[in-house]
Amino acid sequence: MHRQAFRALVPLIRANARRTVPVRRAVGLSRNHATVSSANAEAASDLTKRAEATLKRFWKTVGVEKRDGGYAVTLDKRPLRTPGGKPLIIPPEKRLVAALVASEWENQETVLKPHALPMTSIVSRAIDAFQDEGTRSEVRAQLLKYFETDTIFYHADQPAVLVKLQEEHWKPILDWAREAFGVEIKVSDSIFVPSQPPETMKKFEEILTNFSPWEMAAMERATYTSKSFLIALALLMRRLDVDQAAQAAHVEVNSQIERWGEVEDTHDVDYHDMRRQLGSAACLLANY
């Protein structure tokens, strides 16, 4: 765990070293997080080494400022940048997103916790990756592969508790998707993958193609977190709230918990982490 945390604090110095405005502090997070810009590579390197060694907070104040037609989150008045070196500018209609990003950094108290920056990482992903059509196309293909083997396509006929949970959480999503998008979706009660009609695949590809960079970032995270394209899509389309999406994604685990009990500090931790990640995807789409 500590090694992963150290890796998450690798600095992004090169992109910032060319700036002429002197800034004394820099810290980088993993490719999904953000960095504070710096013109002094040596000083930034020293600070980053200190952060890697101690995982300590080094900034005193966190703020939100209007910059470049949007909102920038600042640490000691210095704006965050994405791992790709771009200014982390949040659109003006997403004031809540800016406030949540700032709150994440304010709540990094003494010890840095990169896993506690889900909003920062998803905003960075939207800015760095999904402005590029090549990346968008690649991710669309990956998400459609998730759809082909979607978790909620596989329905067991036993035990009874699992059958009940599938009916309660999965069937409404399947019924909604079929009706809302006018497509046929096949399910299976065996280990074999149900083949989806080409028209169905084309319809969902069209939906993804029309997504904004923010929607793509949310869809990617929600799909990978829930292991389900349709749960993610239902969350984005506000057919499900975060709790409902997390419960749908946790059907198989919940069936095991009901039969054999919960493993403390494992099942509960996994569930709350899932809610955190799905919540970041849902919040990213807020326009207020």
Side-chain angles (χ1 to χ4, degrees), residues 194-265:
S195 179
Q196 302 301 332
E199 296 80 9
T200 299
M201 300 299 298
K202 182 179 179 181
K203 180 63 177 180
F204 287 119
E205 183 177 15
E206 289 175 354
I207 292 171
L208 293 179
T209 300
N210 291 324
F211 275 176
S212 70
W214 303 92
E215 290 170 323
M216 280 298 294
M219 184 67 185
E220 179 188 48
R221 173 164 292 181
T223 300
Y224 293 166
T225 299
S226 67
K227 305 297 188 293
S228 169
F229 180 98
L230 288 181
I231 291 175
L233 187 61
L235 178 67
L236 263 69
M237 298 293 183
R238 294 179 172 81
R239 173 62 179 78
L240 300 177
D241 62 26
V242 171
D243 284 325
Q244 290 170 331
Q247 287 293 333
H250 238 233
V251 158
E252 292 174 336
V253 173
N254 284 341
S255 74
Q256 295 170 6
I257 291 173
E258 289 200 27
R259 294 171 68 196
W260 299 308
E262 182 177 75
V263 178
E264 190 176 354
D265 293 332

Side-chain angles (χ1 to χ4, degrees), residues 125-126 128-144 205-217 220:
R125 179 68 172 160
D128 272 348
F130 293 116
Q131 308 289 342
D132 174 66
E133 179 52 33
T135 302
R136 290 167 63 91
S137 177
E138 181 180 325
V139 173
R140 282 198 300 269
Q142 293 171 351
L143 294 178
L144 288 171
E205 183 177 15
E206 289 175 354
I207 292 171
L208 293 179
T209 300
N210 291 324
F211 275 176
S212 70
W214 303 92
E215 290 170 323
M216 280 298 294
E220 179 188 48

